[in-house]
Each structure stands twice: as C-alpha cells, then as structure tokens.
Amino acid sequence: AQTVTQSQPEMSVQEAETVTLSCTYDTSESNYYLFWYKQPPSRQMILVIRQEAYKQQNATENRFSVNFQKAAKSFSLKISDSQLGDTAMYFCAFMKLTSGTYKYIFGTGTRLKVLA
Amino acid sequence: EPEVTQTPSHQVTQMGQEVILRCVPISNHLYFYWYRQILGQKVEFLVSFYNNEISEKSEIFDDQFSVERPDGSNFTLKIRSTKLEDSAMYFCASSEGTGLKETQYFGPGTRLLVL
C-alpha cells in the first residue's frame, strides 16, 4: 500500500527566511506524481508544486522548490523568502497512475506559521 | 481562473438524516472526485467518477454513500443516513484528464456536522 508521511506536524519561520517541509512516501510503483498542496485558513487546497517521478530535475515554482530523492523516496518542499501569506497547512500527496483512475494519497500535513 | 465550487459551505444535520453535498467542477474537466477530512486528520479519498460511473471507491465509501452527475454540471455526494462519524470537511475535486493534466483542482469544501 502507498503511504505518505509528513513528520513535522507544525513549523514556524520568520518572514523572509527559508523553511523546508519534509515528506517521505512508500510505493512499489515506478511511475507516479508527487504534489504539494497548500490549505490556507480559508480552507481551499491550492496546488503549490508537482513533480513527475521519472524526471530527475527538481521542480521549481517561483519561491517554492522541491528536493526529490527518488531512491530515498523523499520529496521535501523548500519555501524561500517566506511571506505571511505562506501561513497554511501544507499537504504532501502521492498520485498513483492506474489504468482508469487516479487518486491522491495525502500525508497528515504540516502546519506552517510565518512570523512577522 | 476557473474554480471548483461547492455548496453549502456548512451543513448541520441530525443523525439518520440524508444530506446532499453539491459541487460544480471546472467546466471542461472530465474526472471528478470526493475526498473528506475529519478534523485534525489527513485528507482521504472517497470516490472517483468518470463517464457517468464510479471509477474507484475507497472502503469508506459504503452503501450509505452515492454520487451522481444529474445535469451535466453538478456533481453530488449523497449520504443516505448520516452517522456521527460522517462529520468532516468534504472536498470535491476535478481534473481534465490524464498525464500532466491530471492535477486535481479542489473546491473550498463543505463542513458537515452530524448531531
């Protein structure tokens, strides 16, 4: 069974600093997708960044980047120049590709607070 | 930018009552999903829906649950006889298709409270 583990329930970071959120996963699949979603206090989950497992290059999206270590099954999110608006719950998710259906398996989340 | 919408934002119901949660997916999306998040816990997959039928469902999605797309725009989740443990945030999501387009876009959720 696929599992996703986020070992940091809560983190805080000073505004303008850098923070890294960790995520590990377990799968026997060779091809899959990994995602980070942000859930602000307003509740709606927003895609932050995604990574295809067969791509060696780490995905980057403005201030957000990942460190994808396929052999170690690790997928951490780095937020540079943290802003107050980054305060949210962050979920790591694994997507399994099957013949006809796709679903996310989420981690338990990391609550990030950016401090002024 | 197109968004997934959900109504109502909050629903309070008595145990044993039926509830229908509504979702309007992004218009050109073909795949639809329901997830739930019990307070303080992780988001869990309930069901996926494509071409007017269920593609996959989790063990949570028992006979009390059903989904349908009654009119080509709405996508509904019905719980026939609610239980206390059905209290959760329910998220609808939709996606366009396969591959890189398979990112699922989530609605704001419906918070269901069963008393």
Side-chain angles (χ1 to χ4, degrees):
Chain A
Q2 286 82 21
T3 60
V4 178
T5 302
Q6 294 179 250
S7 58
Q8 305 149 314
E10 293 186 1
M11 294 189 72
S12 61
V13 62
Q14 288 295 134
E15 197 175 7
E17 297 294 309
T18 296
V19 64
T20 298
L21 310 182
S22 67
C23 173
T24 59
Y25 59 95
D26 185 28
T27 182
S28 57
E29 302 287 327
S30 59
N31 191 24
Y32 48 87
Y33 294 87
L34 294 160
F35 300 79
W36 278 97
Y37 275 87
K38 168 185 176 181
Q39 187 183 32
S42 62
R43 302 175 304 163
Q44 187 160 11
M45 277 195 287
I46 304 164
L47 176 67
V48 174
I49 197 165
R50 62 187 173 193
Q51 175 81 42
E52 298 166 59
Y54 59 82
K55 284 195 175 178
Q56 298 292 324
Q57 188 173 5
N58 288 325
T60 299
E61 199 71 44
N62 300 316
R63 298 182 295 106
F64 299 89
S65 61
V66 299
N67 183 6
F68 174 48
Q69 302 289 329
K70 190 173 182 180
K73 296 179 181 174
S74 170
F75 182 60
S76 60
L77 174 70
K78 185 171 82 171
I79 306 174
S80 305
D81 186 25
S82 298
Q83 300 175 0
L84 296 178
D86 295 332
T87 293
M89 181 72 89
Y90 287 80
F91 290 100
C92 177
F94 167 95
M95 175 173 280
K96 179 181 178 181
L97 299 175
T98 58
S99 58
T101 189
Y102 306 83
K103 65 178 180 184
Y104 285 129
I105 297 169
F106 285 91
T108 51
T110 296
R111 187 174 302 279
L112 176 68
K113 188 169 185 179
V114 180
L115 307 171
Chain B
E1 187 173 335
E3 291 183 339
V4 177
T5 60
Q6 290 184 243
T7 55
S9 58
H10 293 79
Q11 175 90 46
V12 181
T13 190
Q14 295 291 324
M15 188 170 59
Q17 294 296 304
E18 175 183 286
V19 295
I20 297 176
L21 310 183
R22 291 181 169 80
C23 168
V24 179
I26 294 174
S27 61
N28 64 331
H29 285 187
L30 301 177
Y31 295 80
F32 314 113
Y33 314 83
W34 283 100
Y35 292 81
R36 80 171 185 191
Q37 184 183 26
I38 294 172
L39 187 64
Q41 299 185 24
K42 64 182 177 182
V43 178
E44 300 173 291
F45 169 80
L46 290 178
V47 65
S48 60
F49 190 85
Y50 169 69
N51 199 26
N52 283 320
E53 60 183 27
I54 291 174
S55 303
E56 185 175 350
K57 58 184 180 180
S58 71
E59 60 274 12
I60 303 168
F61 195 89
D62 61 22
D63 292 343
Q64 294 299 314
F65 291 88
S66 63
V67 290
E68 65 174 357
R69 196 147 190 252
D71 57 14
S73 62
N74 288 286
F75 177 51
T76 62
L77 174 69
K78 182 192 291 186
I79 309 174
R80 287 191 190 81
S81 179
T82 51
K83 304 185 285 285
L84 296 177
E85 54 265 37
D86 293 329
S87 295
M89 180 74 85
Y90 288 81
F91 292 101
C92 173
S94 69
S95 63
E96 188 174 354
T98 60
L100 283 174
K101 297 178 181 178
E102 198 52 41
T103 298
Q104 295 175 20
Y105 294 86
F106 286 82
T110 293
R111 185 172 295 283
L112 176 65
L113 179 60
V114 182
L115 303 176

